Amino acid sequence: MKNGSSARRGRPPKGASVLSRDVIVGATLQVIDADGVSGVSMREVGRVLGVDPKSLYNHVDGKEGLLDSVAEALLGALDLPERTGDLVADLRAIAFAFRDRALAHPEAASLVLTRQLASFEGLAPVEAVLGILQDAGFDAEESVHLLRVVLAALIGTLLREVNAGPTYGSDDAAGIAERTAALEASGLPAVAAVAPQLATFDAHKEFEFALDLALDAVVRRAPA
């Protein structure tokens, strides 16, 4: 990011006077919603804003900084629920809040789920989960292991939800019927035996199942 001494001299480009990090993030989300994360570039975001792409460097540190800013903005809007003191209920509430935020912009979900952030916004969900685990009596090492297990379950399930093609099944009757027929004709007995189940993909139920498995593991290891 450029400081005042290295800022561009002369007349600012059109729109530069109204540029801000929030405005740039909003424009980047427009690009992502339309063309996916792969469509993001400083040039494309500049085009959406009607400014010289170079002017964006006064607010974000290149494309990677731009993507980090989007992830931070989405996580910063995460509505962390009030804690109740119930280990499972509190972790479930955070998990579903995390899912809601990740799916607010499905094309941007991979940024929320995979960027390694060191900012307050990026670490707020981590802080919330660690606080719950530590208050439940887990030591530092166990808390980190369990945090990673829960996050792995959530991230893997959510990435599949936003990226899943027909291979994972369908949630409409016609798609389920077509996929069931294909699986039953596969010649693989174990696959054919569960063809209707494999052909059906209910994202909400899949998320709940993965979350329940992860939370069961947490509860089994909880201090007496």
Side-chain angles (χ1 to χ4, degrees), residues 30-221:
Q30 289 183 42
V31 174
I32 292 173
D33 289 342
D35 301 317
V37 174
S38 62
V40 174
S41 68
M42 301 297 275
R43 181 182 298 277
E44 183 61 18
V45 174
R47 186 194 64 77
V48 170
L49 292 170
V51 302
D52 184 337
K54 294 178 182 177
S55 65
L56 303 180
Y57 287 91
N58 293 312
H59 303 275
V60 293
D61 189 15
K63 180 179 176 178
E64 292 303 306
L66 190 62
L67 296 179
D68 281 347
S69 295
V70 171
E72 288 168 355
L74 292 174
L75 285 172
L78 180 66
D79 185 16
L80 290 172
E82 293 290 331
R83 286 165 56 175
T84 67
D86 183 304
L87 174 64
V88 172
D90 288 344
L91 291 176
R92 280 181 65 85
I94 290 177
F96 276 99
F98 188 65
R99 178 175 184 257
D100 289 344
R101 191 83 303 252
L103 298 182
H105 294 273
E107 291 293 333
S110 62
L111 298 179
V112 177
L113 299 171
T114 61
R115 303 294 287 188
Q116 186 174 40
L117 305 173
S119 64
F120 179 89
E121 294 84 358
L123 290 174
V126 173
E127 167 71 15
V129 172
L130 287 176
I132 291 169
L133 293 172
Q134 290 167 0
D135 286 351
F138 294 103
D139 63 26
E141 184 172 359
E142 188 87 345
S143 295
V144 171
H145 283 315
L146 291 174
L147 166 73
R148 288 172 176 163
V149 166
V150 173
L151 284 180
L154 300 187
I155 291 170
T157 304
L158 287 170
L159 284 175
R160 183 180 63 179
E161 181 173 349
V162 298
N163 295 314
T167 301
Y168 286 104
S170 176
D171 61 357
D172 69 274
I176 292 171
E178 181 179 355
R179 184 63 177 162
T180 298
L183 293 170
E184 288 176 340
S186 67
L188 301 169
V191 169
V194 296
Q197 290 76 28
L198 277 177
T200 303
F201 183 78
D202 184 318
H204 185 83
K205 286 184 178 179
E206 294 283 342
F207 182 80
E208 282 201 317
F209 191 87
L211 177 60
D212 285 344
L213 280 179
L215 295 184
D216 284 347
V218 173
V219 171
R220 284 198 302 271
R221 300 182 71 92

